[in-house]
Amino acid sequence: MEFDALLYLAMFGVALAAGFIDAIAGGGGLLTTPALLFAGVPPINAIATNKLQSTFGTAMATVNFARAGLLDWRAHVQQIDRAALMLVIPALLIAVAGYVLLSPRMEDIDREARLSERTYRPIAGGIGFYDGFFGPGTGSFFNASLVGLRGMGLTRATGAAKLLNVTSNLAALLLWVFSGYLLWWLGLVMAAGSLVGGWLGSHSAIRFGAPLIRPMLVAISLALTAKATWDYFGG
């Protein structure tokens, strides 16, 4: 497919905004996937291209959280196991929004973990599996579960969520690379925007912490709920 320079520029901007949002709360696909479809990209190509660009932004955010000392590499790098997870996504997202809004754990204070690292692995694997075949809300699910089950402070959980997210993204991207559905030039232009957005978003999350992350998590979870409900009933 061929696109003009103006569309490339617009998609760069969309990916930048999505990368910023994704680095803080997840849900950047709310912007990029509809934008790709609106640009005339067929759905299967849109999914593949979106996975390419989002992987770059998530990787940039992961690097920044690691540099800030908010990641424990050994505790998280091998937690994406295969598992079957098929739940009602809108209900889960509403639960996440409610938990983020009401739970006293949603602050930058580490608390006692309710699950051990080993016990948490199947949960992380299930979320990673979900990310591979669908994806919206993955960052929110990782954030909420790391705070609620692993006892992490919200900013540290956001950093760990980025590492888990980029791992699942890379696994899915490998399949799309060989599928023939990737629109490479468009994906790489968007990846550049996603890198910038990921850098800005992760630095903002590190600087402002829970007061920024918490309301964005609620907003993204509710927006994703609205979209999923609309797709089911109105799409």
Side-chain angles (χ1 to χ4, degrees):
M1 299 182 67
E2 294 185 1
F3 304 99
D4 59 31
L6 186 60
L7 186 135
Y8 279 115
L9 183 61
M11 296 305 288
F12 175 91
V14 170
L16 190 156
F20 180 87
I21 293 169
D22 217 39
I24 299 172
L30 274 173
L31 297 179
T32 52
T33 303
L36 284 164
L37 295 173
F38 183 76
V41 177
I44 189 69
N45 299 90
I47 293 171
T49 305
N50 185 61
K51 187 62 67 176
L52 173 64
Q53 67 85 23
S54 67
T55 299
F56 279 80
T58 307
M60 173 58 76
T62 302
V63 169
N64 282 338
F65 279 109
R67 286 176 175 171
L70 294 169
L71 282 181
D72 181 350
W73 292 95
R74 291 181 299 175
H76 299 294
V77 74
Q78 293 182 343
Q79 288 194 1
I80 301 299
D81 303 321
R82 288 186 300 173
L85 181 68
M86 184 64 73
L87 300 173
V88 181
I89 301 307
L92 280 176
L93 287 165
I94 290 172
V96 167
Y99 181 75
V100 172
L101 191 61
L102 301 174
S103 174
R105 284 176 168 253
M106 284 293 164
E107 54 187 17
D108 289 326
I109 299 174
D110 289 345
R111 299 174 185 266
E112 183 178 354
R114 291 172 175 167
L115 294 182
S116 67
E117 175 191 330
R118 181 182 295 273
T119 309
Y120 179 74
R121 284 179 181 176
I123 296 173
I127 298 171
F129 178 80
Y130 162 78
D131 186 36
F133 73 84
F134 190 50
T138 298
S140 299
F141 293 145
F142 275 135
N143 271 18
S145 64
L146 287 166
V147 172
L149 301 177
R150 291 290 295 136
M152 294 183 181
L154 186 52
T155 303
R156 195 160 75 90
T158 301
K162 293 306 105 182
L163 177 57
L164 293 171
N165 208 170
V166 76
T167 306
S168 61
N169 276 348
L170 285 170
L173 180 60
L174 285 175
L175 297 178
W176 288 117
V177 164
F178 296 104
S179 70
Y181 290 113
L182 270 172
L183 304 180
W184 283 100
W185 282 113
L186 181 59
L188 290 173
V189 168
M190 293 182 71
S194 188
L195 278 171
V196 176
W199 187 91
L200 292 171
S202 55
H203 275 283
S204 297
I206 292 164
R207 179 178 179 183
F208 298 108
L212 172 65
I213 299 169
R214 190 171 184 170
M216 285 198 68
L217 271 173
V218 172
I220 289 298
S221 295
L222 293 177
L224 286 166
T225 301
K227 182 181 184 302
T229 304
W230 173 260
D231 288 345
Y232 184 82
F233 291 104

